[in-house]
Amino acid sequence: MEIAFIGLIGVLIGAGVTGIAAFAVIKHIDSHRYRERELEHQVKEIETINLLNKKINEILSKRNVLMQDYVAFNSFDDCYITIDDFIYLNSFTAQNSFYLPNYLIEEFFKNISHRKVILSPEETVKIGGFTYKGGRIVMETFSEQLLEILNEKRQQLSRSTKQPLRYFNVQ
C-alpha cells in the first residue's frame, strides 16, 4: 500500500513538473511570436515611410518643361504635382495610415492645400496637374520630417534586436 501511495505521489509530482514545463514552453513560444510580429510591424512602418519619402522626392525632382511656358508665376519655390501623383499620395497615405504618422500627414495635406493656385478646370487639365505657390518648401520640410522619423524608427529597431540589421544598411 505504501509503495502504491509513494508511486502515486511520484506520478503526480512528475505530472506537475511536466505541466509547468509545458506552460513555460508555451509562454516562451508566445513571447517569441509576439516579438516577431512587433519587429515585422516596425519593419513595415520603416518601409512605408521610406516609400512615401521616395515618392515625395520623386515629385520634387520633376520639373515639367511645359509648365514654364504656361505658368508665368512658377518660380523655384513653387511645386507642380501632377494629378496622378496627387491621387497616388492621397491613396497611399489612406491605405497605409496604420503605419504612417497621421498627424504629420494631415498637417502636410492641410499646409499644401492652402498653397494651391486656383486655376480653371480647363487650365488644370491643360497642364495636367496642380501648382502650389511655395509648395516646394512644404514638401521639403515634410521629407525632412519623414527622414527624422525614419532614422528614429531604425534606431528603435536596432535597439530592440540583438542581431545586426543588414536589411536597412543600404541607403
Side-chain angles (χ1 to χ4, degrees):
M1 188 71 158
E2 284 182 27
I3 295 176
F5 185 67
I6 292 173
L8 182 61
I9 291 175
V11 168
L12 291 176
I13 290 174
V17 168
T18 304
I20 291 171
F23 179 75
V25 167
I26 289 172
K27 283 302 249 185
H28 176 71
I29 290 171
D30 284 345
S31 67
H32 184 68
R33 286 184 183 160
Y34 176 77
R35 183 161 168 70
E36 278 183 8
R37 284 194 306 266
E38 190 69 30
L39 290 175
E40 287 172 0
H41 179 74
Q42 288 177 347
V43 168
K44 181 68 174 170
E45 282 179 340
I46 290 171
E47 288 174 342
T48 305
I49 292 171
N50 196 22
L51 281 174
L52 180 61
N53 192 36
K54 283 182 181 178
K55 188 61 177 179
I56 294 291
N57 288 328
E58 179 183 313
I59 290 170
L60 285 172
S61 67
K62 288 182 183 178
R63 289 301 268 184
N64 195 341
V65 177
L66 299 176
M67 274 294 288
Q68 294 174 354
D69 296 337
Y70 183 74
V71 182
F73 55 80
N74 190 19
S75 63
F76 181 73
D77 64 340
D78 291 346
C79 187
Y80 170 73
I81 302 176
T82 64
I83 294 172
D84 295 337
D85 288 339
F86 192 77
I87 291 171
Y88 176 82
L89 283 178
N90 278 330
S91 65
F92 183 82
T93 55
Q95 289 173 356
N96 298 305
S97 64
F98 186 68
Y99 299 109
L100 294 171
N102 291 327
Y103 176 74
L104 193 65
I105 301 291
E106 290 172 5
E107 286 296 312
F108 166 71
F109 280 115
K110 184 173 72 171
N111 289 339
I112 198 80
S113 67
H114 291 303
R115 298 176 180 269
K116 188 174 181 181
V117 175
I118 306 297
L119 300 174
S120 68
E122 293 82 23
E123 290 173 319
T124 303
V125 169
K126 185 176 179 183
I127 62 173
F130 305 108
T131 301
Y132 297 90
K133 193 81 172 157
R136 178 168 293 278
I137 297 166
V138 173
M139 292 189 75
E140 286 174 350
T141 56
F142 180 63
S143 177
E144 290 171 3
Q145 290 172 339
L146 286 177
L147 283 176
E148 288 174 10
I149 292 172
L150 195 62
N151 288 332
E152 288 174 11
K153 296 279 184 187
R154 285 180 179 168
Q155 289 173 356
Q156 287 176 354
L157 185 64
S158 66
R159 282 193 301 260
S160 65
T161 183
K162 296 172 187 155
Q163 299 174 353
L165 298 173
R166 292 182 203 93
Y167 184 75
F168 295 113
N169 288 342
V170 180
Q171 291 280 339

